[in-house]
Amino acid sequence: MQKVAHGDKQAFSALYDALAPMVFGIVIKVVRDRAQSEEVAQEVMIDLWRQAARYRPDAGGVSTWAATIAHRRAVDRVRSAQAAADREHAQAAREHQTAFDQVAEQVETRLESEQVRRCLRGLTELQRQAVTLAYYRGLTYREVAQTLRTPLPTIKTRMRDGLIRLRDCMGVTT
């Protein structure tokens, strides 16, 4: 390893021949894809060349050191691939929009509108005026009272009674 650390290509060639099969075996067990395993094993061998000066004989043998680097690099590759797949899945989920049937929605809206008109016809004229001013013109109770020149408590009573009748007619449950 000292010779490899000093850039000795023959020493690295011997190291490569001795460790490459073991490194590849470790990597393929983790990664499970031959092409990616070959790539990761190659990266590990390059790491061994670049990090040769960091090897400490007192911490373990060269094969143990190489096996540790190989395993870590393989796990990193698997995690990276999983994270990329998760990101793609999340992006696809964000981009997916539920399609809706526009014709069915228009029919439903029209039916609801007709039901509201029918239920409004079931109100007294005074209730219909108050509800129409409040809900279709957006007036407040006070503004409805001023528009109809009627006391505010009377308008509130008409609105309450009219809305109760509308609720019952529409079949809304509270």
Side-chain angles (χ1 to χ4, degrees):
M1 284 305 293
Q2 288 179 351
K3 288 181 181 180
V4 173
H6 287 91
D8 187 332
K9 292 179 183 177
Q10 287 180 337
F12 180 71
S13 179
L15 180 73
Y16 189 96
D17 291 342
L19 295 179
M22 176 199 67
V23 166
F24 182 74
I26 292 169
V27 171
I28 199 159
K29 284 182 183 176
V30 176
V31 176
R32 298 182 188 253
D33 176 77
R34 185 165 186 86
Q36 283 194 35
S37 296
E38 289 172 356
E39 189 176 310
V40 172
Q42 186 67 32
E43 291 171 5
V44 170
M45 296 310 295
I46 291 170
D47 281 350
L48 293 177
W49 169 263
R50 290 181 181 159
Q51 297 179 25
R54 292 184 185 175
Y55 170 69
R56 294 189 336 258
D58 56 326
V62 175
S63 60
T64 304
W65 182 60
T68 302
I69 292 173
H71 185 263
R72 287 181 183 161
R73 187 59 86 104
V75 168
D76 287 347
R77 176 62 63 98
V78 170
R79 286 179 180 158
S80 175
Q82 184 61 49
D86 290 348
R87 281 191 304 274
E88 288 176 12
H89 180 71
Q91 181 65 27
R94 282 191 298 272
E95 291 175 355
H96 177 72
Q97 296 177 354
T98 306
F100 64 93
D101 186 349
Q102 195 171 12
V103 173
E105 190 169 303
Q106 288 175 351
V107 168
E108 186 176 330
T109 302
R110 178 167 284 146
L111 290 174
E112 287 173 357
S113 297
E114 288 174 10
Q115 185 179 12
V116 169
R117 282 200 246 9
R118 183 178 49 79
C119 290
L120 277 171
R121 286 191 298 268
L123 300 179
T124 68
E125 182 59 32
L126 298 173
Q127 289 171 341
R128 187 172 34 258
Q129 282 179 331
V131 169
T132 302
L133 289 172
Y135 286 94
Y136 290 106
R137 290 207 186 150
L139 301 180
T140 65
Y141 285 171
R142 189 173 308 284
E143 292 169 335
V144 171
Q146 290 170 352
T147 303
L148 296 177
R149 294 184 170 83
T150 306
L152 182 59
T154 304
I155 291 300
K156 287 183 177 182
T157 301
R158 286 180 189 169
M159 292 283 293
R160 185 195 72 224
D161 292 346
L163 291 174
I164 289 171
R165 288 175 95 180
L166 281 174
R167 180 193 66 200
D168 293 343
C169 178
M170 297 286 294
V172 176
T173 57
T174 55

